[in-house]
Amino acid sequence: MSAHPALVADVLALTIEHEAFGADQVVDGEPTSGWVPLTGLDGIEIGVWEMTPGVITDVEADEVFYVVAGQARVEFVDPPAAPIDLRAGTLVRLHEGWRTRWTVTQTIRKIAATPGEEPTR
């Protein structure tokens, strides 16, 4: 019997290895994050990213993501914009170079699509 030709992933049950953020990014707590690539499509890498509770600053990559679990708030430092609250069901488009502040209150897990590389951590 051969494997199914379609990609099938249980993104909620997936085990993700985590690493600590650099001290220059951490604002509060001891958050960690991890990335598991799943597949690619025409130069776009699609995978699952997760971050544990805490506050970090980040410089974004081009990315579209869909939150499947957890809660967080993303504040936009540059360019300034209204913050967004993330929860399961939220779809977001970020642009390369945006400076953000992530406040995760419940471990957040998202499916992300980026141009051929891991989302910025």
Side-chain angles (χ1 to χ4, degrees):
M1 184 175 238
S2 64
H4 194 287
L7 169 69
V8 178
D10 183 343
V11 299
L12 294 176
L14 194 65
T15 299
I16 300 176
E17 290 187 33
H18 282 227
E19 296 178 3
F21 286 92
D24 60 327
Q25 283 185 274
V26 176
V27 175
D28 188 40
E30 296 180 12
T32 62
S33 72
W35 167 255
V36 175
L38 297 176
T39 191
L41 180 66
D42 294 331
I44 303 296
E45 185 172 43
I46 301 165
V48 179
W49 181 83
E50 182 176 80
M51 180 179 157
T52 60
V55 182
I56 63 151
T57 59
D58 199 10
V59 177
E60 299 301 332
D62 279 327
E63 175 181 356
V64 173
F65 67 84
Y66 180 79
V67 177
V68 295
Q71 291 186 336
R73 173 170 267 216
V74 178
E75 297 170 86
F76 297 92
V77 177
D78 186 25
I84 55 172
D85 292 318
L86 304 177
R87 59 169 177 69
T90 306
L91 178 70
V92 177
R93 166 70 161 100
L94 298 175
H95 293 274
E96 183 175 2
W98 284 0
R99 291 181 40 234
T100 56
R101 177 181 169 122
W102 289 69
T103 302
V104 175
T105 54
Q106 292 179 356
T107 298
I108 193 134
R109 185 171 281 207
K110 65 184 185 178
I111 300 168
T114 65
E117 61 186 50
E118 173 177 327
T120 302
R121 300 188 331 116

